[in-house]
């Protein structure tokens, strides 16, 4: 929303007040009509928003993102436990509001019901997720590996992932919820 493009020269403006503009060579463009464009699309699918409680013991690993690590542990745990292809579900962290939340969503347009299965089996998924980050993969607590949290799709976040932080949080969460 808010981007306008000249179909003649390709000039892009955000909320143009003045439709007159120059082309990429610095010459005045004769076209004074800028067309509104959208660089995204609507993608309707099934989602579940999970507000995870704040851990009073304050699990922190310097330079790492524990919430992001928990997200990937849950996604991998759900795929393993429920027989869902890992490429069929994804997620993100919603930092809006008072408590950050994990949002899980089906990758299939219109939804495939995978996140509904995750929601219905959430306790079981959390146990499997905790098992993925229990240290049996052999990596150190401060980091992660392809045996616990890493995959090709999250390679740009590998440096932020912490197996130990995810394990501590999931262990605390499962003990609180029982």
């Amino acid at each position: 929303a808010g981007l306008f493009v000249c179909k003649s020269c390709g000039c892009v403006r955000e909320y143009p007040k003045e439709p007159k503009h120059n082309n990429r060579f610095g010459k005045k463009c004769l076209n004074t009509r800028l067309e509104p464009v959208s660089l995204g699309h609507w993608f309707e699918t099934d989602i579940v928003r999970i507000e995870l409680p704040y851990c009073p013991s304050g699990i922190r690993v310097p330079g790492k993102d524990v919430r992001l690590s928990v997200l990937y542990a849950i996604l991998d745990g759900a795929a393993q436990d429920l027989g869902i292809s890992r490429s069929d579900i994804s997620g993100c962290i919603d930092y809006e509001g008072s408590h950050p939340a994990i949002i899980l969503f089906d990758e299939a347009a219109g939804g495939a019901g995978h996140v509904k299965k995750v929601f219905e089996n959430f306790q079981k998924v959390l146990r499997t997720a905790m098992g993925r980050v229990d240290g049996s993969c052999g990596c150190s607590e401060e980091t992660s590996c392809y045996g616990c949290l890493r995959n090709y799709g999250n390679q740009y976040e590998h440096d932020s992932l912490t197996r130990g932080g995810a394990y501590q949080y999931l262990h605390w969460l499962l003990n609180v919820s029982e």
Side-chain angles (χ1 to χ4, degrees), residues 83-155:
I84 300 168
S85 172
R86 180 59 183 83
S87 62
D88 287 346
I89 58 172
S90 193
C92 61
I93 307 291
D94 177 13
Y95 290 99
E96 296 292 320
S98 59
H99 295 292
I102 288 177
I103 297 177
L104 305 178
F105 55 90
D106 287 346
E107 285 283 359
H114 297 313
V115 294
K116 182 179 179 187
K117 282 174 43 178
V118 172
F119 178 76
E120 291 168 349
N121 298 284
F122 195 58
Q123 199 76 346
K124 191 176 172 190
V125 167
L126 288 178
R127 288 191 202 307
T128 305
M130 190 173 80
R132 288 192 58 83
V133 292
D134 67 359
S136 57
C137 60
C139 71
S140 70
E141 288 188 8
E142 302 81 31
T143 188
S144 62
C145 68
Y146 281 89
C148 58
L149 295 174
R150 293 181 180 190
N151 62 50
Y152 179 77
N154 67 11
Q155 62 185 328

Side-chain angles (χ1 to χ4, degrees), residues 2-51:
L3 292 179
F4 295 82
V5 176
C6 173
K7 300 241 179 178
S8 180
C9 72
C11 173
V12 177
R13 294 267 172 88
E14 187 176 354
Y15 305 109
K17 294 178 182 160
E18 177 61 47
K20 295 178 183 175
H21 60 278
N22 293 335
N23 63 24
R24 65 178 173 227
F25 303 111
K27 305 273 187 206
K28 186 176 280 188
C29 181
L30 300 176
N31 183 12
T32 58
R33 181 171 165 82
L34 300 177
E35 305 284 333
V37 296
S38 177
L39 299 179
H41 67 279
W42 290 101
F43 183 80
E44 293 186 24
T45 191
D46 295 336
I47 69 162
V48 64
R49 186 175 193 277
I50 305 162
E51 282 192 27

